[in-house]
Amino acid sequence: MDKLEQMLKKAKTDASAQVPTSISEGIDSVLETLPKKRKKKQMLMVYTASSIVIGIGVILGASQVSPSVSQGMQKLPIIGSVFEFVSDKGLNKAQEQELTNKVDKQIVSGDTTLTFTDVFHDGTRLSVGYVMEGVSSEQDVRNTFYDETFTLKIDGQKIYNLNYMRISVTKMDDNQFIGVLELTNRNFPDSFELTLDFYNIDSKKGEWSLSFPVIKTKDIFHYQVNAEQEVGDYDVRINEVTLTPATTELKYTVFQEVKGETVEGLIPSLLLFDDKGRQYKHGAGGSKGGMNVLPNGTGITQAFEQYEPMEEKPEYIVVQPYMIGNGNSNVSSGELGSTIPLKLEQGEKGSLTVLDVTSNQDDLIITYQVEGTLPFYQAWVWLEDRDGNETYSTQAPQLVDRESYTFTQRFSNIDIDNISQYKIHTNDLENITLYPETIKITLE
């Protein structure tokens, strides 16, 4: 089993990945328009390809703090806004434009404090920044937000299905963690009271509750579209495009012929390009309500994909479907002690060229440029020393320049004085199928 396949399989099963696979949300809106005589419908579990890879980001890139400020953050006893520091271009942008709302609510349990700093709501996602101090591990933080120890209410009404809730956790100091609590794929009101109830904080049982108002941000653009394209064994129909200051969201429907007793599978995900041909990074995504199968064998799946915000409002966007299969991908390697630039071939998908290797205190920072069709997937790299010990970054690759697809990747616990003992590895992504068909959507 190759490296990419290992990461995909782990992402699919790891509880922390929060891969959205719920089939409990009822019948999709598309099916509501069909005849009511259907007495039998089959629900199949499906995944979008990107939802699996998003899990990889949670596993390998759990640290979501911007590397340029992580050292400074460790010295701050009180953090004003977590959104300033997380590695989320959308939340960074929303904070810069003063579109977030301050919370400044705190829970104290013995030596443990849980502070909520700010909240952002744009109709596509609800994000709440937090700081937790007095705990010793990432798992202690995640335990605080488990179903059995945590409930969330909108205007007093409990949300029972938290499959689309994600928790990012970043260690800032020995006993200090920051992150974002985020919910997607929800129809939240424009304004509401958000209540968070906790029953176990750092293994201390009790009852803690806090509430604060949430107001939907401005400058949101919705476009109802009906753009359809046949790709492979699927028919993909784009239904809606939403542009917000922090998010780009696509809602789409996938039609396919269901054969036999298939109970789970993948549906295509979508690459997103603006009118200048620039590609945008995936965020959340998944199927909504699973697959509904009609008596004639047609499977219908409602899905959504979220991406980072557009650089500016485009005249049109282009989407390109792709699939991640079960085949093998090959590893391409190079010696870090080699002459720079160091080029790593990635098969038909393109190449990755190491441009610079520097150190910052105890961290190794590698700068590289990606050329190819899947730059945000091609950008994943890892290291291996002479003894075969592999090192993965605790941060997702950081995009430095979108025009050239230049990234940086930061590695900790590296022998800075002996860089030449390390190999850098990447995958050729041969198990990702990029369909040649594209869908152009004019935004008007």
Side-chain angles (χ1 to χ4, degrees), residues 240-252:
E240 184 177 334
V241 178
T242 301
L243 305 180
T244 84
T247 314
T248 304
E249 183 179 75
L250 302 179
K251 292 182 179 179
Y252 63 105

Side-chain angles (χ1 to χ4, degrees), residues 63 65 74 136 169-178:
S63 177
V65 66
Q74 292 179 8
S136 57
V169 183
T170 299
K171 184 176 181 178
M172 304 308 305
D173 208 340
D174 288 342
N175 301 107
Q176 183 187 66
F177 296 81
I178 71 169

Side-chain angles (χ1 to χ4, degrees), residues 29-248:
S29 58
V30 160
L31 294 176
E32 292 177 356
T33 64
L34 298 176
K36 302 297 183 181
K37 293 182 179 180
R38 298 190 318 275
K39 294 183 179 180
K40 179 181 181 181
K41 54 175 190 294
Q42 183 181 2
M43 295 291 290
L44 304 183
M45 188 171 299
V46 295
Y47 305 90
T48 62
S50 68
S51 70
I52 303 297
V53 179
I54 288 167
I56 298 176
V58 176
I59 294 168
L60 299 182
S63 177
Q64 296 297 315
V65 66
S66 173
S68 62
V69 298
S70 60
Q71 296 299 322
M73 285 279 290
Q74 292 179 8
K75 300 175 183 178
L76 292 178
I78 298 176
I79 298 177
S81 171
V82 167
F83 293 164
E84 293 182 44
F85 305 102
V86 293
S87 181
D88 184 316
K89 290 183 181 296
L91 292 179
N92 299 157
K93 186 176 178 181
Q95 177 66 26
E96 291 172 2
Q97 297 180 3
E98 299 182 349
L99 299 176
T100 63
N101 294 317
K102 288 290 184 184
V103 174
D104 292 334
K105 294 288 185 76
Q106 188 176 80
I107 290 173
V108 179
S109 173
D111 296 329
T112 304
T113 60
L114 177 58
T115 305
F116 293 91
T117 62
D118 34 16
V119 62
F120 177 75
H121 166 36
D122 67 358
T124 68
R125 62 176 179 172
L126 171 66
S127 305
V128 185
Y130 72 87
V131 183
M132 194 165 187
E133 299 176 282
V135 292
S136 57
S137 70
E138 175 182 329
Q139 193 60 47
D140 290 337
V141 179
R142 293 193 180 278
N143 288 344
T144 302
F145 294 95
Y146 278 165
D147 287 349
E148 295 81 4
T149 61
F150 165 75
T151 61
L152 188 149
K153 299 174 183 175
I154 303 295
D155 286 335
Q157 299 297 312
K158 180 181 176 180
I159 296 181
Y160 288 93
N161 185 350
L162 297 179
N163 280 352
Y164 289 94
M165 184 181 81
R166 300 185 298 167
I167 301 289
S168 68
V169 183
T170 299
K171 184 176 181 178
M172 304 308 305
D173 208 340
D174 288 342
N175 301 107
Q176 183 187 66
F177 296 81
I178 71 169
V180 177
L181 162 67
E182 185 163 275
L183 281 89
T184 58
N185 200 31
R186 295 279 180 179
N187 294 319
F188 292 117
D190 288 350
S191 61
F192 57 89
E193 188 81 4
L194 178 64
T195 301
L196 306 177
D197 295 324
F198 297 90
Y199 306 100
N200 191 320
I201 296 179
D202 194 21
S203 300
K204 302 178 184 70
K205 294 184 178 181
E207 293 186 9
W208 301 267
S209 182
L210 55 81
S211 301
F212 48 88
V214 178
I215 301 175
K216 189 175 180 179
T217 190
K218 56 185 179 180
D219 298 330
I220 298 173
F221 299 92
H222 293 285
Y223 302 91
Q224 299 296 325
V225 297
N226 185 17
E228 192 167 347
Q229 177 67 53
E230 183 176 339
V231 290
D233 296 329
Y234 306 90
D235 193 14
V236 178
R237 179 186 298 168
I238 311 299
N239 304 315
E240 184 177 334
V241 178
T242 301
L243 305 180
T244 84
T247 314
T248 304

Side-chain angles (χ1 to χ4, degrees), residues 27 99 163 196 245 250 271 349 369 438:
I27 300 189
L99 299 176
N163 280 352
L196 306 177
L250 302 179
L271 298 179
K349 300 300 188 295
Q369 182 178 342
T438 61

Side-chain angles (χ1 to χ4, degrees), residues 50 54 166 281-285 305-308:
S50 68
I54 288 167
R166 300 185 298 167
K281 182 181 177 181
H282 275 106
E305 299 280 1
Q306 292 183 353
Y307 311 80
E308 57 190 334

Side-chain angles (χ1 to χ4, degrees), residues 326-388:
N326 294 320
N328 294 327
S329 62
N330 302 305
V331 175
S332 179
S333 307
E335 303 283 346
L336 277 187
S338 304
T339 303
I340 300 296
L342 170 63
K343 188 173 184 177
L344 306 180
E345 297 293 342
Q346 296 177 308
E348 295 180 356
K349 300 300 188 295
S351 63
L352 182 152
T353 302
V354 178
L355 302 177
D356 192 26
V357 180
T358 59
S359 61
N360 180 5
Q361 296 185 1
D362 296 328
D363 291 342
L364 182 70
I365 303 171
I366 302 176
T367 302
Y368 49 92
Q369 182 178 342
V370 171
E371 296 182 16
T373 54
L374 297 162
F376 292 100
Y377 296 105
Q378 294 172 244
W380 287 94
V381 297
W382 71 98
L383 304 181
E384 181 182 2
D385 65 18
R386 288 174 182 155
D387 296 326

